[in-house]
Amino acid sequence: MPKQCFGTSHVPLSPAVRAGDLVYVSGQVPVGSDGIVVKGGITEQTEQVLANIKAALALAGCTLDDVVKTTVWLEDARDFGAFNAVYARHFPKNPPARTTVESRLMIDIKIEVEAVAYRPL
């Protein structure tokens, strides 16, 4: 089965790509539907990023329950506790495997998250 690309972006990427039973979600940043970075700190930005991941997953017929792996980039490791509290609310049981690192990000934001989901065809 060929790969399927879902959604569009103003940069050269697909928000979600299905390859067989796996769906890859590109790194999501805390921008609203208006393309503007949400106001607030790590809590508000994490909520927006996870909402964006949910939306990208939905394009490919998936939900957060299908996520098996995430990679998280935090601009400041001191935000880990507040980020983790929000993340835990979105993945309350059987959370996915996760890698979390501190990194300088491409724009002035506090977080970026990518995800991999498993949803058999």
Side-chain angles (χ1 to χ4, degrees):
M1 171 180 194
K3 74 177 183 180
Q4 295 175 279
C5 297
F6 300 92
T8 60
S9 177
H10 69 283
V11 294
L13 60 81
S14 295
V17 175
R18 177 180 280 280
D21 293 340
L22 295 174
V23 173
Y24 298 88
V25 175
S26 293
Q28 297 295 304
V29 296
V31 297
S33 59
D34 57 3
I36 297 173
V37 174
V38 298
K39 295 189 185 300
I42 190 65
T43 298
E44 295 80 8
Q45 289 197 8
T46 301
E47 288 287 357
Q48 184 64 56
V49 164
L50 292 173
N52 293 348
I53 287 176
K54 285 169 75 170
L57 287 166
L59 294 171
C62 296
T63 70
L64 287 179
D65 290 338
D66 298 314
V67 174
V68 295
K69 173 72 167 84
T70 61
T71 303
V72 179
W73 293 269
L74 296 174
E75 185 267 335
D76 187 338
R78 293 172 292 191
D79 287 335
F80 181 75
F83 149 75
N84 211 41
V86 174
Y87 187 92
R89 286 196 305 273
H90 289 270
F91 296 103
K93 60 183 213 173
N94 300 318
R98 182 179 82 194
T99 302
T100 306
V101 297
E102 180 182 49
S103 177
R104 193 174 78 183
L105 300 170
M106 298 290 106
I107 58 175
D108 188 19
I109 55 175
K110 298 187 174 299
I111 184 170
E112 181 171 346
V113 180
E114 71 177 20
V116 178
Y118 173 74
R119 179 84 176 212
L121 293 171

